[in-house]
Structures are given as structure tokens and as C-alpha cells.
Amino acid sequence: MLTKKLLDGYWRFRNDSHPADKGRYEQLASLGQAPAALVVACCDSRVDVSAIFGAGPGDLFIVRNVANLVPPFQPDGKFHGTSAAVEYAAMVLKVPNIIVLGHSHCGGMAAYRDKLKGKPDDTDFIGTWLTQLDGLDVKKSDIERHGEETAFELAGVRQSLSNLRMFDAVRNKEAEGMLALHGLHFDIGSGVVLALDEDTDTFSPLPETVEA
Amino acid sequence: MLTKKLLDGYWRFRNDSHPADKGRYEQLASLGQAPAALVVACCDSRVDVSAIFGAGPGDLFIVRNVANLVPPFQPDGKFHGTSAAVEYAAMVLKVPNIIVLGHSHCGGMAAYRDKLKGKPDDTDFIGTWLTQLDGLDVKKSDIERHGEETAFELAGVRQSLSNLRMFDAVRNKEAEGMLALHGLHFDIGSGVVLALDEDTDTFSPLPETVEA
Amino acid sequence: MLTKKLLDGYWRFRNDSHPADKGRYEQLASLGQAPAALVVACCDSRVDVSAIFGAGPGDLFIVRNVANLVPPFQPDGKFHGTSAAVEYAAMVLKVPNIIVLGHSHCGGMAAYRDKLKGKPDDTDFIGTWLTQLDGLDVKKSDIERHGEETAFELAGVRQSLSNLRMFDAVRNKEAEGMLALHGLHFDIGSGVVLALDEDTDTFSPLPETVEA
Amino acid sequence: MLTKKLLDGYWRFRNDSHPADKGRYEQLASLGQAPAALVVACCDSRVDVSAIFGAGPGDLFIVRNVANLVPPFQPDGKFHGTSAAVEYAAMVLKVPNIIVLGHSHCGGMAAYRDKLKGKPDDTDFIGTWLTQLDGLDVKKSDIERHGEETAFELAGVRQSLSNLRMFDAVRNKEAEGMLALHGLHFDIGSGVVLALDEDTDTFSPLPETVEA
């Protein structure tokens, strides 16, 4: 049986949130989804993706894994959950935006840093999953500006953007101007989101308004 | 540059939601997360996991992939994002609950049903990802009670629960009474969540209160 | 040949606005529309509906006629453009919101007030179109609070809401909680939008936030 | 209560867009409107008329109905919303241009094509509204050049132009050189607008500049 807290949460949803958006849910059930973005986020319980973007039902297609990684393009007949989600978002749902959303205090990134420092790996999957990060290009300028922990997380976001561009569907749609890629980093304590400017290769707080 | 709408959503978060929970976010940043459950959910934009369980920051560790699948336990040195998340939740975060959350109108399940009907697969990853469902045991009683589409989705939830129990950490903790597994199914239009009773192997709406 | 100004405006759209949202337009062309609201607005050139609600492509299904009127439900086999739009929005697009958007300085309403004062009508269609307003219930309290001109416009919004509820699809969906009706009034000079509170039957400026 | 999203959009308008054009809005409120064109457009949420023509407040008088139809001239004492708007634009506002703006993926046109193929009509208004299109002259050359779906939409634009010329005010002003009629068609995915050349009776993309 579900815990009392989760069950109470569900009944608040049933009695308040869903009825308040009932027509929208019914419409989305009938007509299907056409979300404004794919978000690649971490599983971390402190990162509420919908809340961060003020999103409602139907707005964001979200894939979540440990450390918000997009693996390199490997059509090898093995299970690639994140790659399948990227493909579904780009080709079936034709999303106009893909956001890679890193975050502070990332346990996956911490495990990867531990491994670099020689900590033995006794896991079946976590360690292997994190080998994607081997050779991660952590920038000195990021360490100076944002500290080491954050610099690793920012490097992870850059690498996922780079791996996304290994997918034909993503690279081609971006070249055609059909798809925009965004690298972001969320700080849990302050709520501040940094955005990557790919021209200068630096992360800075999101601006108040969209520049002209 | 992020779209105006996503940026506006972020500033609502910065100005309203995050300040309203500021102490909680600060606490979670300092002390780390200890979520009440791992939720295995679909990427679908119409399934807002936090909303369904009335959850706030720190409550739910969420892995999302196409069709909310847990792959079979395969420690083969390949990338297994969902398995890594399960392992992280069970072993590092020691979550007391794991929820597999299926849902109505699932595009992944629809693609799998299309494949069964002979539709050719021209994808790099989606088709392979869905081969996990090959041999899916769709129950006649579910078809009669809930219709074919839902019956497939329910069968997927049962299979993911079964695969979860291939993980030692999950099976052992469940045997010790440290971990409870839950199979749920969310209907987008009505908001109703069905729960699997593993004693009778049937899905019924969540009750009003936790039974004594 | 289109005027230079309109042609220049089009090329700005082609070179700037459409490319900036190209992926979203392409997605909407492929997947279809599921707009958040039907808006019944006036043709007036000073009422830019998308601007007033910060709406982008795909957000609002908009019917516009002289004086933003919804005619009474009359399935008499004659052409009823607005009624067809209401039916399409409610039944095909299943919109969760309908907004009747009145506005200040309404020429249609002014023509109706002129007619009441005895000005002869020499039009083929305008005069007849405005006979829908015959017997309009202009409230004294509105005249005192908002002035006579605005009071007529507010009365028109109330009547259109009332006529909307003559449509089975609207009335039933509203009763089921699937559809919310909103009566608004836009002031061109100040930009202020008044909203009708149907409990108190009064119009007041839209609040800063949605009430709990 | 308006949804959070629409309310947020309104406050963006109040805080940003309206103040940025405050003087223009104030002027238009005082002096009245003198729009450069009447646009007859569809209600479709993917057709943002102001955006397509780079128009600001006061520029375009817009009537919108399902499938952007102008009904034949019928001064029969019944309600004719679109005809009243045409009359108002031509006689009261003396607009120098009338644009009929068709568009791709038109749901109204699709419903009409379905009806031609024998699909039963169970609507109160949509079906009747579309009987205006009975006998629509779809040109073979358009089908060859633009495809069947587009050819129907182009034929609808031609018919609306023809019906506009049944109005004395329109026909006479056009003859006097006071009013120009334009038949356009907007493609949602590409943003391209085709314009009817009435000399050759063909639709081609709008040119870069106004011809001498």
C-alpha cells in the first residue's frame, strides 16, 4: 500500500490540481501532446523541472537519468533509453527546443569525481554509466569562476550538448533552424539558473528578458 | 537564447516558487536528499509526476524514459541509465518505496503495438528500446476490464516490477521489509490512478485512505 | 500588389519572427493545434489579442466579429460563423477556456447606442448584426462605477457569456468542470483588463496572481 | 479565474508590451482607428495575423471565422457577422485594402473535403457554415502545382474575393481605385505566403519588393 503522504498527495491532485486543469488534461488526452521542449534532467529529487520552467501539463517532454547525461550516438542494438527519448522527441514530437539541465550538488557527478580520486567502484551499473564522463573536459576558467564542483557539472552539460549533436535528427534540425539547443545549470540553494553562451563558451545567469 | 515563454516561466519560479520554499531548498542543498520514493515514469509531457503525488522538492527521485520501462538486470558493462538510477536509489539513497508509473495514451506503447501489427521500424533507438517488451504478457482479464490499450500499459507496469526484482538490492530490501514496490497507472483525461494489488494481480483505483 | 508597409512587415516575419519560432511552427503544422483557449474578440485594430495574453503560435483560437458578440443558439440552417467557431473550439479542439474579450471605444457598441438614440440605420448588415443587443441589460451600478460607454460594453460581454451557455457543448462541459468561461474587458488607452466575477456580477482589474 | 499562464501573459503585456507602445495606444484611444487593411482570416491558433504582417496596434482590422470565408451578399435580415465586418471596414473605416488570408492545414477545409467524401455531418453549425463552399471551383492547375489540400484552400480564397465583390461598397470603391483586394495563403510550416495574381489567376510567393 502506498504511504499515507503519497496517497494524501494524490488526493490533493485528484480533488484540486487535476480538476483545476481538467479541460486541458482532457484536451491533451484527446488531441495528443506537442511539447515546447525536451528536457534532459537528473533524477535528483531536488530538481523539479516543471516548477523551474513554470510548466503545465503538455509543456515539457522530460527524460531523467543519473547526472542528466546524453550518451554518445551508438546504434548498436542495445537498450539506450535516453537515446530513444531524444529520437522520439526530435522525430515524432518534433520539439523546437532541447534543454540539458545540469544542477548543483549532483550525486552522480560527485561519484564520478570520487572515482577520479581513486575510490573503488563496487556498483553494477552506476560506475559503468559514469564512464561516459571519462576524459571530461573540465575548464580551468569554470573552476576559477564557479568552483570545482560546479565546473564538473558544467562540463557535463557541454558534453551532453556535444553528444546530442551526434544524432543526425538533432544536428540537421538545428542546422535548418528548426531546433535550438540550450545548456543550463540549476543551483538548488539559490534557485539561480546559469545558461551556456556557446559563442563565448561561458555560463552566466539567465537574463531578465530575451535579447533582441 | 531560451524562448520567451520558458524564460518567463523561470522568472515566475525565481520570483515566486523558489522563494516560497527557500528554507527547504537551502536545507536540501546543505544536507542532501533523502527522497521517499523512486518513481519510474514515462517522458510524456502530460504526466507531471510531482503534481500527481503533490510532491515538493526533495520528495521524489524520478527516472523517466520512453514507456516507463525497467530493463532486465544486465550487468554487461554497457550503458544502462535506468538500471543505474535504480541502483542509485536503492543502494545510495535507500529509498523505502519504488513506484512504476504507467499512463494512458502512451506513445511508446502505441509504437510497440504498431510493431506487433507489422508496421516497419525505421528508428535507430526507439524500436530497439521497445524490444524489451517482446513477449509481453497482456492479460485477457485486463483487456475485458480496461480495454486493449490500457491492458498493454498495465502489462508493461507488471513487467517492470518483475525486472526490478532481478536487482539483488531491490529483492533483498523488499524481503527485509525495507522497501515496498508499487505498480500504478495514471489516466490523463480523468486523473484516476489505478494501483496493482499483487495478491489478486488486478488493478483498481487508489483508495481514499491507507488501509489498516 | 500589397502595400510596401504590409510587404515589409511580411519580410520581417519571414526573416525574423518565423525563423525564431521555426521549429514550433513546423511542429504545429505536423502535429496539429491544441489551443489553451477560444477568444471571442472584436475586429477592432487596436485590440491585439495575442499581445494582450503574451500568446505564441498555437496558443489561442480566435474568432473576431464586430463588437465581440456570441449570437444566441439558433441551429436554423443559416450561416452562423461565430456559432460554428464556438462549436469547432468546444467539440473538435476541446478548448479548456473560452474568453469573451470586450474593449473600450468599441465602434460597434457606439453604433448600437446611436441607434437607441434614434439615429437612422442605412446599413445592410451592421444594423441587423447589432439587433442581437436589443434589450441589452446595462447595469446602473456599472454606469456609476465605469461610465455609460464602458457599462454598455460590459453588458455586451455578459450577454455573450449567457449566449455561450445556450450551446449544449459549452454548458455541459462547463458543468463537468472541463471548460471555464471568462468575461474580460480591455481598455485601449491604459492597457488594463477588467474581469467579471460572476459571483458578485462585478468587473474588476485582473489580479496579480491566481487566487488559491 | 483565468489560468495562471494566461494571467502571466497578461502581466507581461501590462509591464512590457503596452508601456512600450503607450503613446500609440493613447493616441488610438483618443483619435480612433484608421487601419490600413481589413484582413479576413481563419480562427486557427497557428495563424497570428499581426505577426505575419509585422503589424502593431491600429494597423489591421481583422475578422476571423472558420476557414476565412466571406459569405455571399445576402441582406436578408439575418445575422451576418462577417458581412457586417466587411461593411464596417469598407463604409465606416474606409480601409484601402482587404486581404483574404487562407492558410495551410485548415481544419475547416479538411472538414469540407471529408464531407465531399461522404463523411456524415453531426454538427449544428460547422456543416452548415461550410455549405458556402458547395460547388467550390478547385483548379486542376493548382492541384498539380500545390497539391490537393492547398488547392482547396486557394479555391476558398478566390471564392471569398468573388463574394467580396458582391458588396456594392467593395465593388464601387475598387472600381474607383480606392480599395485593393488581395488573396493570400499562409503556409504554417515554412512561413511562406502565396499571393494571387488575378491577371494570370495563379498563386506565387510574395515578392521581395513592391513592383514599380
Side-chain angles (χ1 to χ4, degrees), chain D residues 27-182:
Chain D
Q27 175 195 43
L28 288 166
S30 298
L31 304 187
Q33 60 179 328
L38 159 67
V39 182
V40 182
C42 183
C43 302
D44 195 295
S45 65
R46 298 164 296 181
V47 179
D48 186 338
V49 181
S50 300
I52 292 171
F53 296 105
D59 289 344
L60 302 175
F61 187 81
I62 307 169
V63 60
R64 299 182 71 159
N65 60 40
V66 173
N68 44 270
L69 303 179
V70 176
F73 184 84
Q74 289 181 326
D76 55 9
K78 303 285 177 185
F79 297 151
H80 290 287
T82 301
S83 301
V86 169
E87 191 177 36
Y88 194 88
M91 298 184 60
V92 180
L93 300 177
K94 301 176 199 301
V95 293
N97 294 279
I98 301 182
I99 295 167
V100 176
L101 180 65
H103 72 100
S104 69
H105 305 88
C106 183
M109 273 296 171
Y112 175 67
R113 291 202 315 277
D114 284 347
K115 213 178 75 173
L116 288 186
K117 289 170 187 162
K119 194 177 163 187
D121 171 31
D122 59 354
T123 64
D124 286 315
F125 300 103
I126 302 170
T128 304
W129 176 249
L130 296 174
T131 60
Q132 294 177 59
L133 293 168
D134 286 347
L136 187 67
D137 180 21
V138 182
K139 295 180 87 82
K140 275 191 190 168
S141 55
D142 280 347
I143 296 177
E144 282 158 19
R145 194 166 164 206
H146 304 287
E148 192 192 61
E149 188 180 316
T150 304
F152 268 80
E153 294 158 356
L154 300 180
V157 171
R158 276 195 198 84
Q159 177 182 294
S160 286
L161 288 176
S162 170
N163 286 349
L164 278 170
R165 293 190 174 105
M166 294 174 70
F167 289 72
D168 281 353
V170 171
R171 199 177 49 251
N172 294 343
K173 279 172 187 286
E174 192 185 24
E176 294 163 16
M178 302 295 263
L179 173 61
L181 268 58
H182 312 277

Side-chain angles (χ1 to χ4, degrees), chain B residues 40-102:
Chain B
V40 182
C42 184
C43 302
D44 193 297
S45 67
R46 298 163 296 182
V47 178
D48 186 337
V49 181
S50 300
I52 292 171
F53 297 105
D59 288 344
L60 302 175
F61 187 81
I62 306 169
V63 58
R64 300 182 71 158
N65 60 42
V66 172
N68 44 271
L69 302 179
V70 177
F73 183 83
Q74 288 180 328
D76 56 8
K78 303 284 178 187
F79 298 151
H80 289 287
T82 300
S83 301
V86 169
E87 191 178 35
Y88 194 87
M91 297 184 61
V92 180
L93 299 177
K94 299 176 199 305
V95 294
N97 294 279
I98 300 182
I99 295 167
V100 176
L101 180 66

